[in-house]
Amino acid sequence: MTPELLATLHPDTLAVRQAMPRSAYGEHSEALYLTSSFVQPDAATAARRFAGEEDGYTYSRTSNPTVSSFERRLAALEGTESAIGTASGMSAILLMCMALLKTGDHVICSQSMFGSTINLISKELARFGVQSSFVAQTDAAAWQAALRPETRLMFAETPTNPLTDLCDIRALADIAHAAGVLLAVDNCFASPALQQPAKLGADLVIHSGTKFLDGQGRVMAGAVCGPRALIDDKLAPLIRSAGMNLSPFNAWVVLKGMETLSLRVKAQSANALALAQWLEQQPQVARVYYPGLASHPQHELAMRQQSGLGGAVLSFDVRATSPEEGRARAFHVIDSTRVCSITANLGDTKTTITHPASTSHGRLTEAQRQAAGLGQGLIRVAVGLEHIDDLKADLARGLDTL
């Protein structure tokens, strides 16, 4: 497709049409190129391609046509110039940080981000001299106050995992750019079906393709989307050396998953809203966290920033008088389910349920969990496509017997 045509197409069309050109065989479904290397027509051409002087595929750690299709489709959905596929969402974050940060640099992050992200930045990158500050996700003034002369990157996740805190992407972009700092946004929870951070000023957009992009819990994948000057000139050379690349098979699976992304996320969001509204009425539930609810403190921002939908992930606190009781009661509700899958993954067509304090955020210190507002009585539900009445009955099985 020509750039002129692509500019006129709706995201739903791009999700099924944008890819590499068909091969000489004219395949309708995008081809899966399971090859580690590519044969060159002659030595001189090989030399030019390996030197980057001529376009062409050489080795799948550097690039692969199936991965290129995935990258083109995701970039089109996010409205960015380019994208680069990685082995997982965490490898996408590592790639971004390694490509953009060095010893002495400083990064500001949300204190309520995914637990592995917090550990990667606060512990692993710290071993190489990268400094970090963690601030309240929702407080733009806190981001502003945390800026230092050596700050190079602000990194937000919106909504957050698992408490669904939002950040005002445009406000953070203004703060970052006024200071000459890059803003990266993890868009895993909302996906481009609901929000496009680059159109709100974000410089880079991070994805765990394992989640909603695939949509059926099949493979690991990640990506970073952004301008060519960052993706092609900064990140691509590093992935060529470091080998964080996405496998062709996984790229093909996620590529096909993206074809139904919009349909799935909208249907799952409708299910999640209905479930969140029902949970608010349950006597054993102390609080529900879901941006689609009018009770959510950032509901108006969510409706404005997320295409009027709350997304497919919610969490709730069971009533308890102590952390120990909260943990026991949360475990009871989780263990009483028969339809929901007890797993920490999300974005699947199958509803999943988990206890964040002992799984996704289990490696954090208690102080870090408390700073993020993450208690022992918290349960996260990533809502799938089952019938809503069956999901209510499944949770009621445990809530009604507390």
Side-chain angles (χ1 to χ4, degrees):
M1 292 184 182
T2 65
E4 293 77 19
L5 176 58
L6 287 173
T8 68
L9 298 179
H10 190 279
D12 288 353
T13 303
L14 295 172
V16 298
R17 290 292 179 177
Q18 172 63 319
M20 291 289 288
R22 296 186 180 98
S23 75
Y25 296 109
E27 66 279 351
H28 192 220
S29 178
E30 291 79 15
L32 170 54
Y33 290 92
L34 287 178
T35 182
S36 58
S37 65
F38 299 84
V39 176
Q40 308 301 308
D42 52 64
T45 300
R48 291 192 300 272
R49 289 178 177 175
F50 272 85
E53 298 168 355
E54 176 182 303
D55 289 338
Y57 294 98
T58 57
Y59 194 62
S60 281
R61 176 163 49 78
T62 304
S63 58
N64 175 283
T66 308
V67 178
S68 295
S69 285
F70 162 76
E71 292 166 342
R72 288 190 179 192
R73 182 166 293 175
L74 183 57
L77 291 180
E78 285 290 4
T80 60
E81 290 180 334
S82 191
I84 189 165
T86 63
S88 68
M90 290 309 303
S91 67
I93 296 171
L94 178 61
L95 172 64
M96 173 185 69
C97 291
M98 288 186 67
L100 301 178
L101 302 172
K102 65 182 186 304
T103 299
D105 285 347
H106 176 243
V107 56
I108 306 171
C109 299
S110 162
Q111 66 187 13
S112 52
M113 295 185 85
F114 178 47
S116 291
T117 304
I118 293 175
N119 275 331
L120 176 65
I121 293 173
S122 67
K123 294 182 180 180
E124 305 305 334
L125 293 183
R127 296 192 297 116
F128 300 94
V130 175
Q131 307 169 69
S132 57
S133 298
F134 292 84
V135 300
Q137 165 90 357
T138 60
D139 187 355
W143 292 82
Q144 177 76 59
L147 286 167
R148 304 177 188 172
E150 60 270 23
T151 304
R152 298 291 176 266
L153 178 69
M154 289 168 46
F155 186 21
E157 174 186 301
T158 184
T160 59
N161 179 13
L163 294 178
T164 69
D165 288 336
L166 276 72
C167 69
D168 187 326
I169 297 173
R170 191 174 295 282
L172 291 192
D174 290 343
I175 292 171
H177 298 157
V181 171
L182 295 173
L183 173 65
V185 173
D186 187 326
N187 199 29
C188 175
F189 262 43
S191 87
L194 298 189
Q195 71 182 10
Q196 297 172 306
K199 292 188 176 180
L200 297 172
D203 300 288
L204 293 166
V205 182
I206 302 291
H207 274 287
S208 170
T210 312
K211 311 300 191 297
F212 288 101
L213 298 185
D214 171 23
Q216 295 183 55
R218 298 169 293 192
V219 297
M220 305 293 287
V224 186
C225 308
R228 290 190 183 92
L230 291 176
I231 301 298
D232 298 354
D233 297 343
K234 298 289 187 180
L235 276 66
L238 177 59
I239 205 171
R240 180 175 181 175
S241 300
M244 306 169 190
N245 54 293
L246 176 60
S247 77
F249 178 78
N250 288 9
W252 184 83
V253 171
V254 181
L255 181 72
K256 306 309 291 182
M258 284 194 286
E259 293 180 359
T260 60
L261 175 65
S262 179
L263 293 173
R264 286 186 284 104
V265 170
K266 290 176 182 176
Q268 288 168 288
S269 295
N271 256 0
L273 176 59
L275 190 62
Q277 291 171 332
W278 175 81
L279 282 167
E280 278 198 315
Q281 305 305 314
Q282 303 310 301
Q284 297 296 344
V285 173
R287 181 178 176 183
V288 181
Y289 306 85
Y290 181 66
L293 291 173
S295 59
H296 193 284
Q298 297 168 290
H299 175 69
E300 289 188 18
L301 174 62
M303 296 300 97
R304 183 171 72 250
Q305 193 166 268
Q306 296 180 187
S307 305
L309 295 173
V313 181
L314 61 88
S315 58
F316 63 95
D317 287 314
V318 294
R319 293 194 183 280
T321 58
S322 68
E324 294 76 19
E325 184 186 27
R327 183 183 178 102
R329 290 164 74 85
F331 277 22
H332 172 78
V333 173
I334 292 169
D335 291 344
S336 296
T337 59
R338 297 295 179 267
V339 174
C340 298
S341 302
I342 304 175
T343 177
N345 193 35
L346 60 94
D348 202 316
T349 54
K350 301 178 180 70
T351 296
T352 65
I353 188 168
T354 190
H355 181 253
S358 59
T359 57
S360 59
H361 293 68
R363 290 187 296 159
L364 299 184
T365 65
E366 184 60 27
Q368 287 175 314
R369 284 193 291 268
Q370 288 180 4
L374 200 157
Q376 291 293 332
L378 184 74
I379 296 172
R380 190 196 73 190
V381 180
V383 183
L385 296 177
E386 300 91 347
H387 194 283
I388 186 60
D389 290 346
D390 293 329
L391 296 178
K392 292 177 182 177
D394 206 38
L395 291 176
R397 189 176 290 108
L399 289 170
D400 292 347
T401 54
L402 283 173

